Structure formats: structure tokens, C-alpha cells
Amino acid sequence: STLQLADRIAVLHEGRVLDVGTHDELTERCPRYRLLLAGPEGETESAEEEPEARAAPVVDAAISHWDALNSLAPSPQMLARLEKLRPATDTPAVDDATARAPEPRFTLRKLLRPVLIALIAGLALEALDALAGLALPALVRGGIDNGIAARAFSAVVIVSIAGLGIVLADWLVTRSETMVVGRNGERLLYTLRVKIFAHLQRLGLDFYERELTGRIMTRMTTDVDALSSFLQTGLVSMVSSVLSFFGVMAALLIINVRLGLTVLTIIPPLVVATLVFRTKSSRAYEAARERVAVVNADLAENVAGLRVTQAYRREGHNRAAFAGLSHAYLRARLRSQRLIALYFPFIQTLSVIAGALVLVVAAGQVRTGLLTAGALIAYLLYIDMFFAPVQQMSQVFDGYQQAVVGLRRITQLLAVPTSTPLARHPRRAGRLDGRIELRDVSFRYEGASRDALRDINLTVKPGETVALVGQTGAGKSTLVKLVARFYDATSGAVLIDGLDVRDYDLASYRHRLGVVPQEPYLFSGTVADAIAYGRPGVSPAEVEAAARAVGAHEMITTLPGGYSHQVGERGRSLSAGQRQLIALARAQLVDPAILLLDEATSALDLASEAAVTRATARLTTRRTTLVVAHRLTTAARADRIVVVDNGRIVESGSHEELLTADGTYASLWHAFTGESELVA
């Protein structure tokens, strides 16, 4: 009826324009146009009339498919190089089950507990490294006083050899420490990434409906990277700085108490400046972390909606909005950098002042012989070492603050409870009969002012196909989500084979479901990978059998590479009908006891709908099926139709029974058919 309103119609097939004309002209002369108008019945007749014509391109495509596979075979040179590679046998010594377990009270202490011994070993090695640094000025003092001043060359040689030995030993210590700290740091980060990803898999749909994708990605990327950088390098530098600071302070007091007390007069302004810097920079880092999350979220949203942006010419507006968010992040980062620009030079100034005070006080002691030249030089070296750890800690503090903020946000994420928690003693779902029963079920979305479903009572017998119809927002999809346990009922119970769905082991229960949404999501990979998503590791023969069972095999063989065709992100390289057929094959492969279809044909043309309808009919055979039907022609083919209106079930029966009852469904049906007749 919509086509009849057009002045001219262009018929496209496989990227070519087949014909152009009015509705009447094309109906008379174009078989492809008549096929598109005919829908399921017409395509079935066409398939029966021209079997040879339809088979020929399938055979040719299959031959091309095997030729493409042969062209992908590795060359002998590549195989020879692979043979020379060492086997990758190293694996992180992490208990994956423990890492994946929920941990709402997650702390850094719990994360570090498995590597506590290695951490202590690393700290011991770091202490040896700090002692090696403290020993070198003492050797310089001995070389000057006992060698150069006394004109004893042998003493200089002995001191030099001792210094070389300390440097070589320190190199070995540093190497061992780097390996220990680096290896265990990677173990911790592996554990953390697995823990975060496992928790994201557990969270219910309500979390993803209220949380921006960019914020979630920031937890896994920016926050984890900040913690990674600190654990790998910052922690070692911080421990080294603390040990060196107190070690140098002790050395200064041991060599000369008066000079040591002179240097300690610098400590109060140093402590005050450090505390002020830490307080102000902490707030700046927190603000920067929040703003970079907003930037990431806006970027993810703009990339996902780029087609709509270009269609409505919003590029300039979006650029300006993104620039504003980025500028806010820039201001937060500049605020922290200004604090660094003030703090670091101030520490350097204190170091110079301390050196000047030591020279003033030491001058008289050198003249009276209370202080030797070697001791003075060693003292000046120790002063540089005294403030160097402070400067180093200040530099590390940037990474420390980011790591603290990142850890806090990760802890907050892991503390978010799932809206579909596991039962205390979950029951594994074996082979289900597929009986569905909803008893007095009500459900309200978080933050909503009214229930999406109210007092729902519905029983679906094993093997029965039930269509859910009603106006947009009536609650049809919500009902299906409760059966899939994407949400839990606010009140009442959803029972599968007589057992509350909340008592099943969630993973094993969902393995018994086949879910085909209106817009199927296909992950990147090959067509075979997409079909085998629910049962990874199955043989190619099983994948092909699933595709043949729903009638998708012929379509797949026409793709470049056939089952090896790359799907691309979200399946964008495929048409809507092709994605839907692959999604049906994916559901077929898991052999579900219960099939949930959220109107798999509403966005398709009639020819594609015909293919998907036939595939759906094969898939629903002998399976309990719930179909969210926006097209009433789809609902008419169901065993039973349930009419949902404003969150309640108002009618239930077959197509003929509901038409006879002349209720809500009859009104919907007459409006649908009456509109078609009016336009015609």
C-alpha cells in the first residue's frame, strides 16, 4: 500500500537496479517486484517453479567458498617460521575461579594477599638497593680522607673496587627486584581484569540501562591502567624513596649531629608543603578522572550514533559539545599540573637552602678540624640524596593519586549488586520440558513511577507457541525478559517446569534458552563463529547443520568466503535479513527448550520476512515459544495469542476465538486490515 503512493519505484537486487516504473508497470513486467509483494506465499511458489535457477548460484557460491578457503592456506615459509617459535608455556599463577568470584567488599589488601610473600621479597630487595645507594657516599668519604688526603693510592684502589662490587651487586638486586615486582604486578592486574569482566557479566540489564558505556569502559581501561602503572613502577619508586629518605636522615645524624639538626630545620616547611600539595592535588585528580569518564562516554555515544549525526547534520554541534567536555577535562588536568609546577621547584629550593646552611655551619668545623673534607663532601652528597627521594615521591604522587582514584572507582563497581543474584543452593537446569508459568507477577523498573506489569497470570504448555500482542509499551518485551531472567519479578513468581526461575543456576538455565531479538547482535568474527557463539568449539558440520535446519545455508554460501565470511562489528557487513537468519541458526545450534522471539521480522522486507518466517517455523517445532508480535499476521500463526494492555493480560485465545470475541484483539486486527484496505 505504501508503494502505490510513490510516483516511481526502483527495484534493486544484489547491488543492481533491475527495473524502474510505477506500481502497475512493475507488477505487470517485473517478476522480482511481484515476488517482493507476494511475501511468504509468493516466494514459496517461486521457489517451487524455478528450482534449477535457484540452485545454480548456490553451487557456484559453494565452489567459490572452497576456493577462498584454499587460498587462505599458510605458505611453507610461514609454517617453517612457526616451527621455530618457542612454545608459549608461561601462564599466570592465578586461580581463575577465585578471580571470577563475586567480591562486594573488595579491597587492595585482598588483591595483594595471594602475592604477599613475593611482595615482601620485593621489599627486601628494594631495601638492599637503598642500602647500596647509602654506601656509596660513605666510600667516597673513606677514599678522600684515607686515600687522597693521606696520599695512599692503595686506599683509593680498595675503595674503588669496593664501589664497583657494590654497583655490580646492586645491578643484580635491581634486576631480580624488577622481575619479582613486574611479574607479580602483572598477576595482580590479570586478576583484577578477570574480576571486573566477570562482575560485568553478572550485572543485570538495569545496570547497563542507567550506566553510560563510556563510564564502564573507563573502569576497565583508564582506571585499571592507572593502577597498573603505579603497581609496576610507582610502588617500587615510592618504597625506594621512603627507605632512602630515612636512611639518609640517619646517616646525616651519625656523621655530624650539629649539621644533621641544621638540615632537619628544613623538615617543617617540607611537611607543610607536601600536605597542602597532597590535599589540593587529590581533589584535582578526582575531578579529572570524573571528567575523562564523561569524555569517554560522549565519544562512545557519538561513534555509535554517527549515522544519525550525519543524517541530521549535527557534526558542528557535536564537535562543540565534545570540545566543551574536553576543555573541562583539560582545566582539571592543568589545575593539577600547576600544583606540580609550584611544588617541585619549592622542594628544589629547599634542597639548595639546606646545602647552603650546611656549608655555612661546616666552614668553621673544617677549619677547627672537627669535620674532614671527605666527611663534608659525603655530607653534601647525602643532602642531595635526602631531597631526591622527596622529589621522587612527589613525581610518583601523580601516579599514586590516579591509582587511588582508579582503585576507589573499581571498588565501587565491584560493590554494585546484581539484580539477578544466584540462589543459595542453585539447581542446575538439565533437559527442560519447557512449561512456563507466571503467578501473580508484577514488575516495576528502577526509578519508574508505576508497574510495567501487574498481576500477570499465564501458563504456557510445553511445545506451545504463544504470541504476545499489544500496543507499544504495553509490557510484551518486559514479560519475555522476566522469562529469560534478565530481570526478577518485583512480586509473584516465574516458574519453569514448576520451579521458580530464581532457584535455577542462572548460566545453566540460560543455556536452555534461545533468544532472538528484533535486532540481533553479532560479534566480530566469521559467520561460523557467529552461529557457534552459544556452543563454542562445535564442529563445522554441526554449524552447517544448524544453518541448514533454519534455511540459512543457501544465503551463507552466497557470501564471499561462505562460512568464513567476516561479519564485522555488530554484523554491519550483513543485511538485516541475513543477520536475522544467522541469529536463528545460532539459536538452533544450542537446541533450546524455550525459544524467545522479539518480533524477528518487523524490520524486514517481505522477501526477507518470508525466509525468516520459514526459518522461525522450523525452529519453533516442538519447542515452547514466546513471540513478541508487532505484526498481527505473525501472531495469527501462533497456537495462542495473549493480548497485553497497559501491563495486564486482557485477552487470550486463538486468532479465530479472539476475532469472534470482538474485543481488544479484534479492534487491533480490524484497524490493521481496515487501514490496508483504505490505502489500497
Side-chain angles (χ1 to χ4, degrees):
S1 58
T2 305
L3 294 173
Q4 294 175 26
L5 300 176
D7 296 327
R8 284 200 304 160
I9 304 167
V11 181
L12 283 78
H13 180 62
E14 294 184 351
R16 296 182 296 109
V17 177
L18 294 181
D19 205 345
V20 179
T22 65
H23 171 71
D24 294 335
E25 291 171 346
L26 293 175
T27 302
E28 181 179 353
R29 69 173 184 242
C30 183
R32 173 60 58 176
Y33 184 69
R34 291 196 298 272
L35 172 64
L36 292 173
L37 289 180
E41 294 79 8
E43 185 168 349
T44 303
E45 294 171 5
S46 175
E48 293 173 353
E49 291 171 1
E50 305 176 22
E52 296 181 1
R54 292 174 58 83
V58 174
V59 174
D60 293 341
I63 295 173
S64 300
H65 164 61
W66 288 113
D67 289 343
L69 286 180
N70 291 331
S71 67
L72 296 175
S75 64
Q77 293 83 0
M78 181 183 296
L79 292 175
R81 289 184 177 182
L82 289 174
E83 288 293 332
K84 293 180 180 179
L85 293 176
R86 293 194 309 174
T89 57
D90 193 18
T91 56
V94 174
D95 184 0
D96 287 344
T98 303
R100 295 191 187 101
E103 199 165 353
R105 292 181 177 84
F106 172 80
T107 61
L108 183 60
R109 182 184 302 173
K110 292 182 179 179
L111 181 66
L112 296 177
R113 187 178 298 158
V115 296
L116 183 60
I117 295 177
L119 181 62
I120 294 174
L123 293 177
L125 292 171
E126 187 57 45
L128 292 176
D129 179 44
L131 288 175
L134 293 173
L136 291 177
L139 288 176
V140 171
R141 174 187 178 182
I144 293 174
D145 291 341
N146 300 323
I148 297 175
R151 299 180 183 274
F153 181 72
S154 59
V156 175
V157 172
I158 293 173
V159 168
S160 299
I161 293 174
L164 179 60
I166 290 175
V167 170
L168 292 177
D170 188 42
W171 174 76
L172 293 175
V173 168
T174 304
R175 181 180 182 278
S176 301
E177 175 212 338
T178 303
M179 292 294 295
V180 170
V181 173
R183 188 177 185 83
N184 288 282
E186 289 297 336
R187 286 175 58 192
L188 293 176
L189 296 173
Y190 172 82
T191 303
L192 190 58
R193 288 191 177 98
V194 170
K195 186 175 291 295
I196 293 174
F197 188 80
H199 188 66
L200 290 174
Q201 303 295 302
R202 281 189 295 270
L203 292 176
L205 290 184
D206 57 323
F207 173 79
Y208 297 97
E209 288 172 351
R210 68 174 183 265
E211 192 74 13
L212 294 174
T213 303
R215 288 183 179 274
I216 298 172
M217 293 301 297
T218 301
R219 301 294 191 278
M220 184 63 89
T221 55
T222 309
D223 291 337
V224 172
D225 287 344
L227 189 59
S228 168
S229 178
F230 178 72
L231 290 176
Q232 297 280 22
T233 58
L235 181 61
V236 174
S237 299
M238 180 173 288
V239 172
S240 176
S241 300
V242 171
L243 293 175
S244 297
F245 178 79
F246 287 104
V248 170
M249 182 184 295
L252 291 175
L253 293 172
I254 291 172
I255 293 175
N256 192 297
V257 175
R258 184 179 177 186
L259 292 180
L261 294 175
T262 301
V263 174
L264 292 182
T265 58
I266 305 297
I267 295 297
L270 175 64
V271 172
V272 171
T274 302
L275 292 176
V276 171
F277 170 73
R278 178 176 179 177
T279 302
K280 291 184 175 296
S281 62
S282 179
R283 290 196 293 265
Y285 286 126
E286 182 71 38
R289 186 67 69 194
E290 287 296 329
R291 290 175 184 177
V292 75
V294 175
V295 169
N296 290 339
D298 188 71
L299 175 63
E301 187 175 29
N302 275 282
V303 170
L306 190 60
R307 183 182 301 177
V308 178
T309 297
Q310 294 178 346
Y312 287 91
R313 300 307 307 258
R314 293 269 298 185
E315 295 93 337
H317 180 276
N318 288 1
R319 278 197 300 268
F322 185 78
L325 296 175
S326 299
H327 189 63
Y329 173 55
L330 173 66
R331 289 198 303 270
R333 288 298 295 162
L334 286 178
R335 193 178 307 126
S336 62
Q337 292 302 314
R338 280 194 293 269
L339 292 170
I340 291 174
L342 289 172
Y343 180 71
F344 285 177
F346 179 72
I347 298 300
Q348 185 64 39
T349 301
L350 290 180
S351 176
V352 173
I353 292 174
L357 290 175
V358 166
L359 287 175
V360 170
V361 176
Q365 293 187 353
V366 171
R367 283 196 302 269
T368 59
L370 295 176
L371 188 69
T372 63
L376 177 60
I377 293 174
Y379 216 89
L380 294 175
L381 291 175
Y382 276 126
I383 288 176
D384 285 339
M385 292 178 64
F386 182 72
F387 286 95
V390 177
Q391 290 178 315
Q392 191 175 23
M393 281 191 290
S394 302
Q395 293 170 348
V396 170
F397 193 70
D398 179 71
Y400 167 74
Q401 289 287 69
Q402 295 190 46
V404 168
V405 174
L407 180 63
R408 184 184 307 129
R409 289 154 61 92
I410 291 170
T411 302
Q412 292 171 352
L413 173 63
L414 294 176
V416 175
T418 177
S419 57
T420 54
L422 285 176
R424 179 170 298 180
H425 301 290
R427 177 175 172 180
R428 188 165 184 80
R431 184 67 185 178
L432 300 176
D433 293 331
R435 180 183 178 84
I436 303 172
E437 187 177 358
L438 285 80
R439 295 180 183 172
D440 300 322
V441 168
S442 296
F443 176 75
R444 177 178 297 188
Y445 288 100
E446 184 177 352
S449 59
R450 63 185 185 88
D451 291 340
L453 294 174
R454 288 175 291 169
D455 303 324
I456 298 294
N457 286 281
L458 175 66
T459 300
V460 182
K461 293 179 291 186
E464 185 181 15
T465 297
V466 173
L468 305 174
V469 302
Q471 296 181 351
T472 301
K476 306 181 298 296
S477 296
T478 301
L479 195 152
V480 170
K481 290 175 182 176
L482 292 181
V483 174
R485 213 198 163 196
F486 291 142
Y487 299 97
D488 280 340
T490 306
S491 63
V494 178
L495 291 84
I496 305 297
D497 288 358
L499 184 67
D500 194 317
V501 70
R502 288 168 288 199
D503 292 332
Y504 281 111
D505 174 70
L506 188 57
S508 66
Y509 169 67
R510 286 183 179 158
H511 274 306
R512 307 306 307 144
L513 302 180
V515 181
V516 182
Q518 182 176 344
E519 296 182 5
Y521 191 106
L522 302 182
F523 290 87
S524 300
T526 64
V527 170
D529 294 335
I531 295 175
Y533 186 78
R535 287 181 60 196
V538 297
S539 67
E542 291 176 283
V543 171
E544 184 175 326
R548 288 182 181 275
V550 298
H553 177 72
E554 292 184 2
M555 177 275 294
I556 294 172
T557 55
T558 62
L559 298 174
Y563 285 90
S564 297
H565 178 74
Q566 290 294 321
V567 171
E569 185 182 7
R570 297 174 180 259
R572 290 173 180 168
S573 60
L574 302 174
S575 69
Q578 290 171 331
R579 290 197 299 269
Q580 203 64 273
L581 284 172
I582 291 174
L584 290 167
R586 177 173 62 187
Q588 168 69 32
L589 186 60
V590 300
D591 190 21
I594 299 173
L595 188 62
L596 306 174
L597 304 177
D598 191 354
E599 188 47 86
T601 62
S602 63
L604 305 179
D605 61 82
L606 290 176
S608 298
E609 179 185 358
V612 173
T613 300
R614 289 198 306 272
T616 303
R618 295 169 183 169
L619 185 58
T620 57
T621 302
R622 299 186 305 277
R623 289 187 175 94
T624 305
T625 305
L626 287 181
V627 182
V628 177
H630 297 114
R631 291 185 180 179
L632 297 185
T633 51
T634 302
R637 291 190 287 267
D639 299 327
R640 185 156 52 108
I641 300 170
V642 173
V643 183
V644 184
D645 183 35
N646 198 26
R648 295 178 180 271
I649 294 178
V650 294
E651 284 185 313
S652 177
S654 67
H655 174 69
E656 292 77 13
E657 291 170 349
L658 293 180
L659 288 180
T660 303
D662 197 25
T664 304
Y665 178 78
S667 300
L668 293 172
W669 179 264
H670 293 319
F672 171 72
T673 56
E675 180 180 337
S676 299
E677 293 169 3
L678 179 63
V679 174

